[in-house]
Amino acid sequence: MKPRAAGYQYSPYGDRTQTLRQIDRYNASFTRVPASPLIPRPVTLSEQTGPIELPRRWNAGKLALSRAVENGPRAVGQLIRVSGRVTDEDGSPAAGVVMEIWQANAAGKYVHAMDDHIAPLDPNFVGQGRLVTDEDGRYEVFTVKPGAYPVLYSGWWWRPPHIHFSILGQSWMNRFITQIFFPGEPLNETDLLLNGVPSHDVRERLIFEHGDTVMGDLSYINYRRDFVLRGHRRTPELA
Ligand SMILES: [Fe+2]
């Protein structure tokens, strides 16, 4: 990302464009955010600029999630291609930044010890990985469309299909985390996290655009989502 001059002021964003700190009926939101105002703490130069070479340290590169191993069998589910661009508030590309992606498989099951949903794992789907954006801030990943899954303690809530994204800028201190949803999903209407962003228009920034379909040896549907990391057009964060 473009370095900013000392004292540079980023455009402010409105609270209605971001996730509510405490979401009614979502108990976890009351324990995940501080109850008291934050105490400003000076950030040191090493925290702002390091560690260097994140992509190399984390072995990030091109990413394809639709198979567990290269040229191995394909995961169960509908093949999709997810792509877009990561930019700063003025449209300048966030080039060479590390993007982490994780998602449930087509049955709505994560490869994670904490996932106690009784749904099958797919031996050909790991559902997580890292890539590096190109010089224009672009990313691309082939994967399968994730399934919905229940939030068991709630007694009613099903998370709609979604993909988790984490974007690390120049350092660990610049971490942006969100979830992106699929257009036209009925469960989008009742999801507490997606609807934790008060502005209807801004919630659209958390939903993929449905792109064209591709037919051939590899048939898939394109989905697109750009991310804006700062400023008044900022993509809402969803942990
Ligand atoms: Fe999730």
Side-chain angles (χ1 to χ4, degrees):
M1 286 186 284
K2 261 192 329 201
R4 303 289 179 178
Y8 179 89
Q9 294 289 313
Y10 293 105
S11 304
Y13 56 79
D15 269 352
R16 286 181 59 78
T17 71
Q18 297 299 310
T19 317
L20 293 170
R21 290 176 182 82
Q22 298 192 337
I23 299 173
D24 196 27
R25 294 192 294 163
Y26 180 35
N27 298 345
S29 70
F30 289 84
T31 59
R32 285 182 180 178
V33 295
S36 307
L38 298 179
I39 300 168
R41 181 180 74 81
V43 181
T44 66
L45 188 62
S46 61
E47 287 171 327
Q48 288 176 305
T49 58
I52 58 172
E53 299 186 326
L54 276 177
R56 185 183 61 77
R57 284 168 182 254
W58 283 356
N59 199 24
K62 277 187 164 296
L63 178 63
L65 292 181
S66 58
R67 301 169 195 272
V69 293
E70 200 174 349
N71 299 321
R74 209 173 81 202
V76 171
Q78 188 206 333
L79 186 62
I80 60 174
R81 175 178 169 270
V82 174
S83 65
R85 226 176 140 234
V86 185
T87 66
D88 211 337
E89 61 178 333
D90 56 0
S92 61
V97 299
V98 175
M99 174 183 278
E100 298 179 291
I101 294 174
W102 63 101
Q103 65 166 90
N105 68 19
K109 178 80 173 174
Y110 286 97
V111 181
H112 195 284
M114 296 277 286
D115 188 335
D116 45 12
H117 175 206
I118 301 176
L121 286 171
D122 179 347
N124 300 314
F125 190 72
V126 178
Q128 54 187 283
R130 294 181 175 122
L131 58 84
V132 186
T133 58
D134 71 10
E135 67 278 0
D136 202 27
R138 295 188 185 282
Y139 72 94
E140 173 192 83
V141 59
F142 279 92
T143 185
V144 294
K145 186 177 175 186
Y149 60 82
V151 181
L152 293 172
Y153 76 81
S154 71
W156 67 272
W157 180 16
W158 279 74
R159 300 294 330 279
H162 60 274
I163 299 179
H164 296 259
F165 289 84
S166 157
I167 300 167
L168 284 134
Q170 293 155 321
S171 77
W172 284 334
M173 300 298 286
N174 295 326
R175 190 177 186 194
F176 173 94
I177 302 178
T178 198
Q179 303 176 22
I180 302 297
F181 300 77
F182 288 80
E185 292 286 336
L187 290 170
N188 287 351
E189 305 303 317
T190 52
D191 188 60
L192 295 181
L193 286 173
L194 176 58
N195 292 287
V197 178
S199 166
H200 173 271
D201 291 347
V202 174
R203 286 201 292 274
E204 295 294 315
R205 298 177 194 168
L206 293 175
I207 298 176
F208 287 117
E209 290 169 26
H210 190 188
D212 47 341
T213 61
V214 175
M215 301 292 179
D217 292 339
L218 212 56
S219 299
Y220 56 89
I221 295 178
N222 273 303
Y223 286 100
R224 185 184 168 94
R225 175 47 45 203
D226 292 341
F227 296 91
V228 180
L229 300 179
R230 285 184 283 234
H232 67 273
R233 294 185 300 115
R234 185 176 190 259
T235 307
E237 286 205 69
L238 276 186

